[in-house]
Each structure stands twice: as C-alpha cells, then as structure tokens.
Amino acid sequence: MDHHEQITVCGEAIVLGKAISEGESEFDTIVAVRHPDPTQENQRIEVVSPCGICRELISDYGEGTNVILKDKEGYIKTIISDLLPNKYTREKN
C-alpha cells in the first residue's frame, strides 16, 4: 500500500451510528460533503451524492429521510427512496 493511500469510512455511516447510539431514531435531512485529502490539488469542499452503501444505510434507518444534492442548477432536496429504486426488503411478498 502506497503511504498516500488510506482506508476511509463514509461520514454518513459515522454520523448515523453516533446519532443512533445516542438515542436518535428519526432523521429529517442528511447531506454528504467531500473533504479533500491535504495532498490533493483540488481543495474545494463539495456536496456529493451518497455512495450506494450509504444510500442503503440511510434508507434502512430512515425511509423518509431527505438528502441534499448538488445538480447543474444548484442544491436540491430529494427523498432517499428516489436514490435507491427497487430497494431490497426483508418482507416476503
């Protein structure tokens, strides 16, 4: 492993885990923010779309949770289920 490579955990997983461990059970809105590594040329902090694993995690703990995203026109708010169509379910049909 190159000394510049790092193993990372998404912020969404950490924030949700911390909130749940402190008794929170409902989430209104979440936003993912990219913080660049200090060695990267682009040092801009940006709103990013949650990765697939985080989309599932957010949905598991808050089906109605809103997610803030950035698109061509600016920032938008959408519900997590719009980002995770045909989500798996534990319920049998």
Side-chain angles (χ1 to χ4, degrees):
M1 177 184 282
D2 184 300
H3 70 281
H4 291 289
E5 292 180 32
Q6 298 176 18
I7 297 173
T8 60
V9 176
C10 295
E12 299 95 302
I14 294 169
V15 167
L16 287 171
K18 177 71 171 161
I20 291 164
S21 73
E22 292 188 4
E24 297 295 329
S25 60
E26 294 183 24
F27 305 97
D28 182 73
T29 304
I30 192 165
V31 61
V33 180
R34 174 193 171 273
H35 289 266
D37 181 279
T39 62
Q40 291 179 320
E41 187 174 320
N42 178 358
Q43 288 295 302
R44 186 177 316 169
I45 296 172
E46 299 179 275
V47 170
V48 295
S49 183
C51 73
I53 293 170
C54 287
R55 291 176 188 202
E56 288 186 21
L57 183 66
I58 295 165
S59 180
D60 285 347
Y61 288 98
E63 237 177 277
T65 302
N66 292 299
V67 180
I68 296 174
L69 305 170
K70 186 175 181 183
D71 70 3
K72 293 177 184 177
E73 286 115 36
Y75 298 102
I76 60 169
K77 187 188 293 188
T78 189
I79 193 161
I80 189 62
S81 59
D82 289 346
L83 300 178
L84 197 60
N86 303 317
K87 181 183 185 276
Y88 69 90
T89 178
R90 292 182 190 159
E91 298 173 10
K92 294 182 180 181
N93 295 339

